[in-house]
Amino acid sequence: MLVYPKCEKFIIDGNESLQSCFLGKFIEEMGQESLFILSSKKIAYTDIRAEMKFVIDENGNFTSLEFIGNEFNKELIKDSFDMYLNKYNKKKKKIVPAKDANGNPISKSFYIPYVLKKDLPTYRVY
C-alpha cells in the first residue's frame, strides 16, 4: 500500500491501516475544498454525490482522473480536486508509492464514492 503524508505511523500496522489513513485524510481534505467552493459561491445544497477514479502512479502522482456524476456534482468535485491538488503540490511531503513483492514501485487505482451531505447545522463528508 502507498504511504500518504502523515500516515507513516501506520506502516507498522499494515496495508489496511495505511489505506484507511489515506482515504480518511484524502476525503477530509477534499471535503474542506468542496465546502470552501460552495460557501464562496453562496451555493445552497443538501446532498452532493459523485464518484472519483484515479491512479497514484509509481512516482506517487495522481493520474488518470475521472469524475462521475451529474454535471454540477462533477464540476464541484473536479474543482475541489484541483484546489486539493494545488495545495498538496505546494507541500514538501509526497505520497510514497505502493510497492510490489520485490520492492519496486507500482501504481495503485482508486474508486471513491464521494458524498457531501448538509445536515443542519453540521456537515458530513463520506
mmCIF file of all heavy atoms in Angstrom, residues 52-102:
data_model
loop_
_atom_site.group_PDB
_atom_site.id
_atom_site.type_symbol
_atom_site.label_atom_id
_atom_site.label_comp_id
_atom_site.label_asym_id
_atom_site.label_seq_id
_atom_site.Cartn_x
_atom_site.Cartn_y
_atom_site.Cartn_z
ATOM 1 N N MET A 52 -15.136 9.374 -7.884
ATOM 2 C CA MET A 52 -13.811 9.711 -8.404
ATOM 3 C C MET A 52 -13.076 8.418 -8.711
ATOM 4 O O MET A 52 -13.133 7.467 -7.933
ATOM 5 C CB MET A 52 -12.986 10.457 -7.368
ATOM 6 C CG MET A 52 -13.507 11.801 -6.975
ATOM 7 S SD MET A 52 -12.432 12.560 -5.729
ATOM 8 C CE MET A 52 -13.090 11.803 -4.258
ATOM 9 N N LYS A 53 -12.405 8.419 -9.837
ATOM 10 C CA LYS A 53 -11.489 7.337 -10.163
ATOM 11 C C LYS A 53 -10.146 7.987 -10.458
ATOM 12 O O LYS A 53 -10.099 9.013 -11.149
ATOM 13 C CB LYS A 53 -11.953 6.567 -11.399
ATOM 14 C CG LYS A 53 -13.206 5.767 -11.210
ATOM 15 C CD LYS A 53 -13.525 5.014 -12.490
ATOM 16 C CE LYS A 53 -14.817 4.246 -12.381
ATOM 17 N NZ LYS A 53 -15.116 3.526 -13.633
ATOM 18 N N PHE A 54 -9.098 7.414 -9.930
ATOM 19 C CA PHE A 54 -7.769 7.917 -10.227
ATOM 20 C C PHE A 54 -6.734 6.853 -9.927
ATOM 21 O O PHE A 54 -7.039 5.820 -9.326
ATOM 22 C CB PHE A 54 -7.456 9.202 -9.443
ATOM 23 C CG PHE A 54 -7.571 9.080 -7.947
ATOM 24 C CD1 PHE A 54 -6.510 8.628 -7.179
ATOM 25 C CD2 PHE A 54 -8.746 9.434 -7.298
ATOM 26 C CE1 PHE A 54 -6.622 8.518 -5.794
ATOM 27 C CE2 PHE A 54 -8.863 9.350 -5.927
ATOM 28 C CZ PHE A 54 -7.784 8.892 -5.169
ATOM 29 N N VAL A 55 -5.533 7.106 -10.381
ATOM 30 C CA VAL A 55 -4.407 6.221 -10.141
ATOM 31 C C VAL A 55 -3.333 7.037 -9.448
ATOM 32 O O VAL A 55 -3.115 8.205 -9.781
ATOM 33 C CB VAL A 55 -3.858 5.655 -11.475
ATOM 34 C CG1 VAL A 55 -2.564 4.888 -11.266
ATOM 35 C CG2 VAL A 55 -4.904 4.780 -12.156
ATOM 36 N N ILE A 56 -2.693 6.433 -8.477
ATOM 37 C CA ILE A 56 -1.479 7.018 -7.922
ATOM 38 C C ILE A 56 -0.345 6.193 -8.518
ATOM 39 O O ILE A 56 -0.249 4.991 -8.280
ATOM 40 C CB ILE A 56 -1.484 7.023 -6.392
ATOM 41 C CG1 ILE A 56 -2.644 7.909 -5.921
ATOM 42 C CG2 ILE A 56 -0.145 7.523 -5.853
ATOM 43 C CD1 ILE A 56 -2.787 8.089 -4.458
ATOM 44 N N ASP A 57 0.450 6.843 -9.358
ATOM 45 C CA ASP A 57 1.444 6.124 -10.156
ATOM 46 C C ASP A 57 2.703 5.759 -9.375
ATOM 47 O O ASP A 57 2.793 6.010 -8.173
ATOM 48 C CB ASP A 57 1.776 6.906 -11.429
ATOM 49 C CG ASP A 57 2.554 8.194 -11.188
ATOM 50 O OD1 ASP A 57 3.075 8.425 -10.068
ATOM 51 O OD2 ASP A 57 2.656 8.995 -12.140
ATOM 52 N N GLU A 58 3.665 5.199 -10.085
ATOM 53 C CA GLU A 58 4.907 4.721 -9.489
ATOM 54 C C GLU A 58 5.741 5.839 -8.851
ATOM 55 O O GLU A 58 6.658 5.577 -8.088
ATOM 56 C CB GLU A 58 5.774 4.011 -10.543
ATOM 57 C CG GLU A 58 5.134 2.807 -11.176
ATOM 58 C CD GLU A 58 4.243 3.157 -12.371
ATOM 59 O OE1 GLU A 58 4.087 4.346 -12.713
ATOM 60 O OE2 GLU A 58 3.672 2.222 -12.952
ATOM 61 N N ASN A 59 5.428 7.083 -9.198
ATOM 62 C CA ASN A 59 6.132 8.235 -8.631
ATOM 63 C C ASN A 59 5.344 8.910 -7.507
ATOM 64 O O ASN A 59 5.766 9.935 -6.986
ATOM 65 C CB ASN A 59 6.450 9.254 -9.726
ATOM 66 C CG ASN A 59 7.361 8.674 -10.774
ATOM 67 O OD1 ASN A 59 8.381 8.073 -10.451
ATOM 68 N ND2 ASN A 59 6.991 8.821 -12.035
ATOM 69 N N GLY A 60 4.175 8.365 -7.182
ATOM 70 C CA GLY A 60 3.344 8.946 -6.138
ATOM 71 C C GLY A 60 2.488 10.101 -6.610
ATOM 72 O O GLY A 60 1.985 10.881 -5.802
ATOM 73 N N ASN A 61 2.276 10.197 -7.934
ATOM 74 C CA ASN A 61 1.472 11.280 -8.510
ATOM 75 C C ASN A 61 0.070 10.795 -8.864
ATOM 76 O O ASN A 61 -0.123 9.641 -9.245
ATOM 77 C CB ASN A 61 2.143 11.815 -9.783
ATOM 78 C CG ASN A 61 3.493 12.409 -9.490
ATOM 79 O OD1 ASN A 61 3.670 13.166 -8.545
ATOM 80 N ND2 ASN A 61 4.471 12.044 -10.299
ATOM 81 N N PHE A 62 -0.906 11.697 -8.766
ATOM 82 C CA PHE A 62 -2.276 11.407 -9.188
ATOM 83 C C PHE A 62 -2.333 11.453 -10.713
ATOM 84 O O PHE A 62 -1.887 12.422 -11.318
ATOM 85 C CB PHE A 62 -3.244 12.458 -8.631
ATOM 86 C CG PHE A 62 -3.462 12.353 -7.151
ATOM 87 C CD1 PHE A 62 -2.650 13.044 -6.258
ATOM 88 C CD2 PHE A 62 -4.500 11.584 -6.642
ATOM 89 C CE1 PHE A 62 -2.859 12.968 -4.888
ATOM 90 C CE2 PHE A 62 -4.721 11.506 -5.276
ATOM 91 C CZ PHE A 62 -3.896 12.193 -4.398
ATOM 92 N N THR A 63 -2.888 10.406 -11.330
ATOM 93 C CA THR A 63 -3.058 10.370 -12.780
ATOM 94 C C THR A 63 -4.407 9.739 -13.097
ATOM 95 O O THR A 63 -5.117 9.257 -12.208
ATOM 96 C CB THR A 63 -1.942 9.545 -13.467
ATOM 97 O OG1 THR A 63 -2.024 8.189 -13.026
ATOM 98 C CG2 THR A 63 -0.562 10.108 -13.169
ATOM 99 N N SER A 64 -4.753 9.731 -14.376
ATOM 100 C CA SER A 64 -5.967 9.066 -14.888
ATOM 101 C C SER A 64 -7.218 9.469 -14.106
ATOM 102 O O SER A 64 -8.018 8.626 -13.703
ATOM 103 C CB SER A 64 -5.801 7.541 -14.854
ATOM 104 O OG SER A 64 -4.659 7.147 -15.549
ATOM 105 N N LEU A 65 -7.395 10.767 -13.925
ATOM 106 C CA LEU A 65 -8.528 11.269 -13.154
ATOM 107 C C LEU A 65 -9.830 11.145 -13.940
ATOM 108 O O LEU A 65 -9.879 11.447 -15.126
ATOM 109 C CB LEU A 65 -8.309 12.743 -12.820
ATOM 110 C CG LEU A 65 -7.044 13.061 -12.045
ATOM 111 C CD1 LEU A 65 -6.790 14.550 -12.042
ATOM 112 C CD2 LEU A 65 -7.150 12.544 -10.642
ATOM 113 N N GLU A 66 -10.866 10.706 -13.265
ATOM 114 C CA GLU A 66 -12.196 10.636 -13.859
ATOM 115 C C GLU A 66 -13.210 10.970 -12.771
ATOM 116 O O GLU A 66 -13.127 10.465 -11.654
ATOM 117 C CB GLU A 66 -12.457 9.240 -14.416
ATOM 118 C CG GLU A 66 -13.759 9.114 -15.137
ATOM 119 C CD GLU A 66 -13.984 7.715 -15.701
ATOM 120 O OE1 GLU A 66 -13.057 6.892 -15.709
ATOM 121 O OE2 GLU A 66 -15.125 7.451 -16.123
ATOM 122 N N PHE A 67 -14.169 11.820 -13.116
ATOM 123 C CA PHE A 67 -15.206 12.229 -12.181
ATOM 124 C C PHE A 67 -16.551 11.819 -12.765
ATOM 125 O O PHE A 67 -16.831 12.065 -13.934
ATOM 126 C CB PHE A 67 -15.150 13.737 -11.934
ATOM 127 C CG PHE A 67 -13.805 14.193 -11.459
ATOM 128 C CD1 PHE A 67 -12.906 14.777 -12.332
ATOM 129 C CD2 PHE A 67 -13.422 14.001 -10.142
ATOM 130 C CE1 PHE A 67 -11.652 15.168 -11.904
ATOM 131 C CE2 PHE A 67 -12.171 14.391 -9.701
ATOM 132 C CZ PHE A 67 -11.279 14.976 -10.586
ATOM 133 N N ILE A 68 -17.393 11.204 -11.948
ATOM 134 C CA ILE A 68 -18.661 10.657 -12.415
ATOM 135 C C ILE A 68 -19.788 11.235 -11.558
ATOM 136 O O ILE A 68 -19.690 11.258 -10.334
ATOM 137 C CB ILE A 68 -18.654 9.120 -12.292
ATOM 138 C CG1 ILE A 68 -17.478 8.544 -13.090
ATOM 139 C CG2 ILE A 68 -19.976 8.523 -12.749
ATOM 140 C CD1 ILE A 68 -17.108 7.136 -12.711
ATOM 141 N N GLY A 69 -20.846 11.686 -12.216
ATOM 142 C CA GLY A 69 -21.997 12.249 -11.520
ATOM 143 C C GLY A 69 -22.715 13.208 -12.443
ATOM 144 O O GLY A 69 -22.362 13.341 -13.615
ATOM 145 N N ASN A 70 -23.725 13.908 -11.921
ATOM 146 C CA ASN A 70 -24.389 14.898 -12.765
ATOM 147 C C ASN A 70 -23.413 16.058 -12.996
ATOM 148 O O ASN A 70 -22.375 16.161 -12.343
ATOM 149 C CB ASN A 70 -25.731 15.350 -12.179
ATOM 150 C CG ASN A 70 -25.584 16.152 -10.904
ATOM 151 O OD1 ASN A 70 -24.658 16.951 -10.732
ATOM 152 N ND2 ASN A 70 -26.507 15.944 -9.973
ATOM 153 N N GLU A 71 -23.731 16.923 -13.924
ATOM 154 C CA GLU A 71 -22.783 17.976 -14.324
ATOM 155 C C GLU A 71 -22.360 18.880 -13.162
ATOM 156 O O GLU A 71 -21.184 19.192 -13.005
ATOM 157 C CB GLU A 71 -23.350 18.813 -15.473
ATOM 158 C CG GLU A 71 -23.364 18.075 -16.799
ATOM 159 C CD GLU A 71 -22.006 17.506 -17.186
ATOM 160 O OE1 GLU A 71 -21.002 18.228 -17.135
ATOM 161 O OE2 GLU A 71 -21.946 16.313 -17.542
ATOM 162 N N PHE A 72 -23.316 19.295 -12.344
ATOM 163 C CA PHE A 72 -22.973 20.164 -11.215
ATOM 164 C C PHE A 72 -22.023 19.454 -10.254
ATOM 165 O O PHE A 72 -21.010 20.003 -9.844
ATOM 166 C CB PHE A 72 -24.233 20.620 -10.463
ATOM 167 C CG PHE A 72 -23.903 21.404 -9.223
ATOM 168 C CD1 PHE A 72 -23.564 22.745 -9.296
ATOM 169 C CD2 PHE A 72 -23.910 20.790 -7.968
ATOM 170 C CE1 PHE A 72 -23.224 23.462 -8.155
ATOM 171 C CE2 PHE A 72 -23.577 21.499 -6.828
ATOM 172 C CZ PHE A 72 -23.242 22.842 -6.920
ATOM 173 N N ASN A 73 -22.368 18.230 -9.879
ATOM 174 C CA ASN A 73 -21.550 17.488 -8.916
ATOM 175 C C ASN A 73 -20.173 17.164 -9.486
ATOM 176 O O ASN A 73 -19.172 17.244 -8.780
ATOM 177 C CB ASN A 73 -22.266 16.217 -8.476
ATOM 178 C CG ASN A 73 -23.499 16.518 -7.649
ATOM 179 O OD1 ASN A 73 -23.770 17.663 -7.289
ATOM 180 N ND2 ASN A 73 -24.268 15.494 -7.348
ATOM 181 N N LYS A 74 -20.108 16.798 -10.767
ATOM 182 C CA LYS A 74 -18.810 16.530 -11.395
ATOM 183 C C LYS A 74 -17.943 17.785 -11.397
ATOM 184 O O LYS A 74 -16.755 17.722 -11.121
ATOM 185 C CB LYS A 74 -18.990 16.036 -12.834
ATOM 186 C CG LYS A 74 -19.356 14.594 -12.931
ATOM 187 C CD LYS A 74 -19.313 13.984 -14.302
ATOM 188 C CE LYS A 74 -19.408 14.837 -15.502
ATOM 189 N NZ LYS A 74 -19.534 14.109 -16.762
ATOM 190 N N GLU A 75 -18.543 18.919 -11.722
ATOM 191 C CA GLU A 75 -17.781 20.168 -11.751
ATOM 192 C C GLU A 75 -17.280 20.533 -10.351
ATOM 193 O O GLU A 75 -16.130 20.928 -10.175
ATOM 194 C CB GLU A 75 -18.630 21.305 -12.311
ATOM 195 C CG GLU A 75 -17.859 22.616 -12.420
ATOM 196 C CD GLU A 75 -18.683 23.739 -13.008
ATOM 197 O OE1 GLU A 75 -19.617 23.467 -13.791
ATOM 198 O OE2 GLU A 75 -18.380 24.899 -12.686
ATOM 199 N N LEU A 76 -18.150 20.382 -9.351
ATOM 200 C CA LEU A 76 -17.746 20.677 -7.979
ATOM 201 C C LEU A 76 -16.597 19.774 -7.547
ATOM 202 O O LEU A 76 -15.603 20.243 -6.991
ATOM 203 C CB LEU A 76 -18.925 20.519 -7.010
ATOM 204 C CG LEU A 76 -18.554 20.638 -5.528
ATOM 205 C CD1 LEU A 76 -18.068 22.039 -5.196
ATOM 206 C CD2 LEU A 76 -19.721 20.235 -4.657
ATOM 207 N N ILE A 77 -16.713 18.486 -7.791
ATOM 208 C CA ILE A 77 -15.675 17.560 -7.346
ATOM 209 C C ILE A 77 -14.378 17.789 -8.118
ATOM 210 O O ILE A 77 -13.286 17.697 -7.561
ATOM 211 C CB ILE A 77 -16.153 16.096 -7.433
ATOM 212 C CG1 ILE A 77 -15.247 15.192 -6.617
ATOM 213 C CG2 ILE A 77 -16.210 15.578 -8.794
ATOM 214 C CD1 ILE A 77 -15.791 14.876 -5.294
ATOM 215 N N LYS A 78 -14.476 18.127 -9.394
ATOM 216 C CA LYS A 78 -13.270 18.423 -10.174
ATOM 217 C C LYS A 78 -12.604 19.688 -9.650
ATOM 218 O O LYS A 78 -11.383 19.722 -9.453
ATOM 219 C CB LYS A 78 -13.598 18.577 -11.652
ATOM 220 C CG LYS A 78 -12.358 18.837 -12.502
ATOM 221 C CD LYS A 78 -12.711 19.190 -13.924
ATOM 222 C CE LYS A 78 -11.511 19.514 -14.748
ATOM 223 N NZ LYS A 78 -10.524 20.401 -14.177
ATOM 224 N N ASP A 79 -13.387 20.739 -9.413
ATOM 225 C CA ASP A 79 -12.824 21.987 -8.866
ATOM 226 C C ASP A 79 -12.222 21.747 -7.480
ATOM 227 O O ASP A 79 -11.157 22.279 -7.167
ATOM 228 C CB ASP A 79 -13.895 23.077 -8.790
ATOM 229 C CG ASP A 79 -14.330 23.572 -10.160
ATOM 230 O OD1 ASP A 79 -13.652 23.258 -11.164
ATOM 231 O OD2 ASP A 79 -15.360 24.274 -10.229
ATOM 232 N N SER A 80 -12.894 20.952 -6.670
ATOM 233 C CA SER A 80 -12.375 20.628 -5.333
ATOM 234 C C SER A 80 -11.060 19.868 -5.445
ATOM 235 O O SER A 80 -10.105 20.136 -4.716
ATOM 236 C CB SER A 80 -13.387 19.782 -4.554
ATOM 237 O OG SER A 80 -14.593 20.470 -4.382
ATOM 238 N N PHE A 81 -11.010 18.920 -6.369
ATOM 239 C CA PHE A 81 -9.786 18.143 -6.555
ATOM 240 C C PHE A 81 -8.652 19.038 -7.043
ATOM 241 O O PHE A 81 -7.515 18.913 -6.584
ATOM 242 C CB PHE A 81 -10.009 16.990 -7.532
ATOM 243 C CG PHE A 81 -8.833 16.057 -7.591
ATOM 244 C CD1 PHE A 81 -8.703 15.036 -6.665
ATOM 245 C CD2 PHE A 81 -7.849 16.220 -8.547
ATOM 246 C CE1 PHE A 81 -7.609 14.189 -6.694
ATOM 247 C CE2 PHE A 81 -6.756 15.385 -8.589
ATOM 248 C CZ PHE A 81 -6.632 14.366 -7.656
ATOM 249 N N ASP A 82 -8.954 19.946 -7.973
ATOM 250 C CA ASP A 82 -7.924 20.878 -8.462
ATOM 251 C C ASP A 82 -7.366 21.716 -7.315
ATOM 252 O O ASP A 82 -6.150 21.913 -7.221
ATOM 253 C CB ASP A 82 -8.484 21.790 -9.553
ATOM 254 C CG ASP A 82 -8.745 21.049 -10.859
ATOM 255 O OD1 ASP A 82 -8.230 19.919 -11.043
ATOM 256 O OD2 ASP A 82 -9.476 21.612 -11.711
ATOM 257 N N MET A 83 -8.242 22.215 -6.444
ATOM 258 C CA MET A 83 -7.782 23.001 -5.292
ATOM 259 C C MET A 83 -6.964 22.134 -4.336
ATOM 260 O O MET A 83 -5.919 22.548 -3.838
ATOM 261 C CB MET A 83 -8.968 23.622 -4.552
ATOM 262 C CG MET A 83 -9.616 24.765 -5.298
ATOM 263 S SD MET A 83 -11.013 25.466 -4.402
ATOM 264 C CE MET A 83 -10.201 26.174 -2.996
ATOM 265 N N TYR A 84 -7.458 20.923 -4.082
ATOM 266 C CA TYR A 84 -6.741 19.987 -3.223
ATOM 267 C C TYR A 84 -5.350 19.714 -3.800
ATOM 268 O O TYR A 84 -4.349 19.788 -3.087
ATOM 269 C CB TYR A 84 -7.530 18.672 -3.103
ATOM 270 C CG TYR A 84 -6.674 17.525 -2.681
ATOM 271 C CD1 TYR A 84 -6.358 17.323 -1.337
ATOM 272 C CD2 TYR A 84 -6.133 16.652 -3.621
ATOM 273 C CE1 TYR A 84 -5.538 16.286 -0.949
ATOM 274 C CE2 TYR A 84 -5.318 15.610 -3.239
ATOM 275 C CZ TYR A 84 -5.015 15.429 -1.913
ATOM 276 O OH TYR A 84 -4.198 14.403 -1.544
ATOM 277 N N LEU A 85 -5.281 19.409 -5.093
ATOM 278 C CA LEU A 85 -4.013 19.060 -5.726
ATOM 279 C C LEU A 85 -3.048 20.239 -5.720
ATOM 280 O O LEU A 85 -1.845 20.065 -5.499
ATOM 281 C CB LEU A 85 -4.268 18.571 -7.154
ATOM 282 C CG LEU A 85 -3.168 17.753 -7.797
ATOM 283 C CD1 LEU A 85 -2.783 16.565 -6.940
ATOM 284 C CD2 LEU A 85 -3.604 17.291 -9.178
ATOM 285 N N ASN A 86 -3.568 21.436 -5.927
ATOM 286 C CA ASN A 86 -2.725 22.636 -5.877
ATOM 287 C C ASN A 86 -2.087 22.784 -4.497
ATOM 288 O O ASN A 86 -0.886 23.026 -4.376
ATOM 289 C CB ASN A 86 -3.549 23.864 -6.250
ATOM 290 C CG ASN A 86 -2.701 25.102 -6.397
ATOM 291 O OD1 ASN A 86 -1.522 25.034 -6.707
ATOM 292 N ND2 ASN A 86 -3.319 26.251 -6.182
ATOM 293 N N LYS A 87 -2.881 22.623 -3.452
ATOM 294 C CA LYS A 87 -2.351 22.713 -2.082
ATOM 295 C C LYS A 87 -1.408 21.560 -1.781
ATOM 296 O O LYS A 87 -0.358 21.733 -1.164
ATOM 297 C CB LYS A 87 -3.490 22.744 -1.059
ATOM 298 C CG LYS A 87 -4.240 24.049 -1.045
ATOM 299 C CD LYS A 87 -5.327 24.040 -0.005
ATOM 300 C CE LYS A 87 -6.093 25.351 -0.008
ATOM 301 N NZ LYS A 87 -7.193 25.346 0.951
ATOM 302 N N TYR A 88 -1.774 20.368 -2.227
ATOM 303 C CA TYR A 88 -0.944 19.182 -1.996
ATOM 304 C C TYR A 88 0.437 19.351 -2.643
ATOM 305 O O TYR A 88 1.456 19.041 -2.038
ATOM 306 C CB TYR A 88 -1.649 17.934 -2.545
ATOM 307 C CG TYR A 88 -0.768 16.720 -2.548
ATOM 308 C CD1 TYR A 88 -0.551 15.999 -1.379
ATOM 309 C CD2 TYR A 88 -0.125 16.309 -3.706
ATOM 310 C CE1 TYR A 88 0.274 14.889 -1.367
ATOM 311 C CE2 TYR A 88 0.700 15.205 -3.703
ATOM 312 C CZ TYR A 88 0.898 14.504 -2.534
ATOM 313 O OH TYR A 88 1.726 13.414 -2.530
ATOM 314 N N ASN A 89 0.461 19.851 -3.879
ATOM 315 C CA ASN A 89 1.723 20.003 -4.598
ATOM 316 C C ASN A 89 2.642 21.057 -3.969
ATOM 317 O O ASN A 89 3.848 21.019 -4.175
ATOM 318 C CB ASN A 89 1.476 20.325 -6.071
ATOM 319 C CG ASN A 89 0.993 19.108 -6.838
ATOM 320 O OD1 ASN A 89 1.310 17.975 -6.493
ATOM 321 N ND2 ASN A 89 0.209 19.337 -7.875
ATOM 322 N N LYS A 90 2.077 21.986 -3.201
ATOM 323 C CA LYS A 90 2.891 23.002 -2.524
ATOM 324 C C LYS A 90 3.561 22.469 -1.265
ATOM 325 O O LYS A 90 4.514 23.054 -0.777
ATOM 326 C CB LYS A 90 2.038 24.215 -2.178
ATOM 327 C CG LYS A 90 1.639 25.026 -3.389
ATOM 328 C CD LYS A 90 0.811 26.231 -2.992
ATOM 329 C CE LYS A 90 0.408 27.008 -4.232
ATOM 330 N NZ LYS A 90 -0.433 28.151 -3.903
ATOM 331 N N LYS A 91 3.056 21.335 -0.756
ATOM 332 C CA LYS A 91 3.638 20.746 0.452
ATOM 333 C C LYS A 91 4.945 20.057 0.106
ATOM 334 O O LYS A 91 5.161 19.612 -1.006
ATOM 335 C CB LYS A 91 2.666 19.734 1.077
ATOM 336 C CG LYS A 91 1.384 20.365 1.570
ATOM 337 C CD LYS A 91 0.449 19.318 2.119
ATOM 338 C CE LYS A 91 -0.860 19.953 2.560
ATOM 339 N NZ LYS A 91 -1.828 18.949 2.998
ATOM 340 N N LYS A 92 5.809 19.955 1.078
ATOM 341 C CA LYS A 92 7.110 19.323 0.856
ATOM 342 C C LYS A 92 7.024 17.802 0.819
ATOM 343 O O LYS A 92 7.823 17.145 0.187
ATOM 344 C CB LYS A 92 8.077 19.759 1.941
ATOM 345 C CG LYS A 92 8.242 21.273 1.978
ATOM 346 C CD LYS A 92 9.669 21.634 1.805
ATOM 347 C CE LYS A 92 9.831 23.132 1.969
ATOM 348 N NZ LYS A 92 10.154 23.787 0.769
ATOM 349 N N LYS A 93 6.040 17.212 1.501
ATOM 350 C CA LYS A 93 5.930 15.759 1.555
ATOM 351 C C LYS A 93 5.127 15.248 0.367
ATOM 352 O O LYS A 93 4.224 15.913 -0.115
ATOM 353 C CB LYS A 93 5.282 15.317 2.858
ATOM 354 C CG LYS A 93 6.146 15.604 4.066
ATOM 355 C CD LYS A 93 5.576 14.951 5.295
ATOM 356 C CE LYS A 93 6.530 15.164 6.459
ATOM 357 N NZ LYS A 93 6.160 14.369 7.607
ATOM 358 N N LYS A 94 5.471 14.040 -0.074
ATOM 359 C CA LYS A 94 4.794 13.407 -1.193
ATOM 360 C C LYS A 94 4.330 12.011 -0.801
ATOM 361 O O LYS A 94 4.815 11.426 0.153
ATOM 362 C CB LYS A 94 5.752 13.279 -2.396
ATOM 363 C CG LYS A 94 6.159 14.601 -3.003
ATOM 364 C CD LYS A 94 5.010 15.179 -3.755
ATOM 365 C CE LYS A 94 5.418 16.461 -4.462
ATOM 366 N NZ LYS A 94 4.331 17.067 -5.162
ATOM 367 N N ILE A 95 3.427 11.467 -1.578
ATOM 368 C CA ILE A 95 2.969 10.103 -1.380
ATOM 369 C C ILE A 95 4.105 9.148 -1.740
ATOM 370 O O ILE A 95 4.737 9.291 -2.787
ATOM 371 C CB ILE A 95 1.744 9.798 -2.265
ATOM 372 C CG1 ILE A 95 0.547 10.644 -1.823
ATOM 373 C CG2 ILE A 95 1.397 8.316 -2.244
ATOM 374 C CD1 ILE A 95 -0.643 10.567 -2.748
ATOM 375 N N VAL A 96 4.351 8.190 -0.869
ATOM 376 C CA VAL A 96 5.296 7.120 -1.180
ATOM 377 C C VAL A 96 4.484 6.054 -1.913
ATOM 378 O O VAL A 96 3.507 5.543 -1.364
ATOM 379 C CB VAL A 96 5.934 6.535 0.101
ATOM 380 C CG1 VAL A 96 6.829 5.354 -0.235
ATOM 381 C CG2 VAL A 96 6.696 7.615 0.864
ATOM 382 N N PRO A 97 4.846 5.738 -3.166
ATOM 383 C CA PRO A 97 4.026 4.804 -3.936
ATOM 384 C C PRO A 97 3.995 3.409 -3.345
ATOM 385 O O PRO A 97 4.880 3.020 -2.564
ATOM 386 C CB PRO A 97 4.692 4.796 -5.317
ATOM 387 C CG PRO A 97 6.055 5.337 -5.114
ATOM 388 C CD PRO A 97 6.019 6.192 -3.883
ATOM 389 N N ALA A 98 2.967 2.665 -3.739
ATOM 390 C CA ALA A 98 2.869 1.255 -3.341
ATOM 391 C C ALA A 98 4.034 0.495 -3.973
ATOM 392 O O ALA A 98 4.624 0.941 -4.961
ATOM 393 C CB ALA A 98 1.532 0.684 -3.812
ATOM 394 N N LYS A 99 4.360 -0.663 -3.402
ATOM 395 C CA LYS A 99 5.462 -1.468 -3.927
ATOM 396 C C LYS A 99 4.995 -2.903 -4.125
ATOM 397 O O LYS A 99 4.142 -3.406 -3.393
ATOM 398 C CB LYS A 99 6.643 -1.424 -2.964
ATOM 399 C CG LYS A 99 7.205 -0.024 -2.857
ATOM 400 C CD LYS A 99 8.418 0.047 -1.979
ATOM 401 C CE LYS A 99 8.893 1.504 -1.977
ATOM 402 N NZ LYS A 99 9.862 1.785 -0.994
ATOM 403 N N ASP A 100 5.583 -3.557 -5.125
ATOM 404 C CA ASP A 100 5.275 -4.966 -5.359
ATOM 405 C C ASP A 100 6.100 -5.832 -4.404
ATOM 406 O O ASP A 100 6.850 -5.324 -3.572
ATOM 407 C CB ASP A 100 5.496 -5.350 -6.824
ATOM 408 C CG ASP A 100 6.949 -5.253 -7.273
ATOM 409 O OD1 ASP A 100 7.874 -5.163 -6.415
ATOM 410 O OD2 ASP A 100 7.178 -5.280 -8.496
ATOM 411 N N ALA A 101 5.984 -7.146 -4.549
ATOM 412 C CA ALA A 101 6.670 -8.080 -3.655
ATOM 413 C C ALA A 101 8.199 -7.936 -3.707
ATOM 414 O O ALA A 101 8.887 -8.267 -2.752
ATOM 415 C CB ALA A 101 6.272 -9.511 -4.002
ATOM 416 N N ASN A 102 8.711 -7.414 -4.818
ATOM 417 C CA ASN A 102 10.158 -7.227 -4.966
ATOM 418 C C ASN A 102 10.630 -5.857 -4.504
ATOM 419 O O ASN A 102 11.801 -5.523 -4.630
ATOM 420 C CB ASN A 102 10.580 -7.446 -6.419
ATOM 421 C CG ASN A 102 10.318 -8.865 -6.868
ATOM 422 O OD1 ASN A 102 10.522 -9.807 -6.109
ATOM 423 N ND2 ASN A 102 9.837 -9.021 -8.094
#
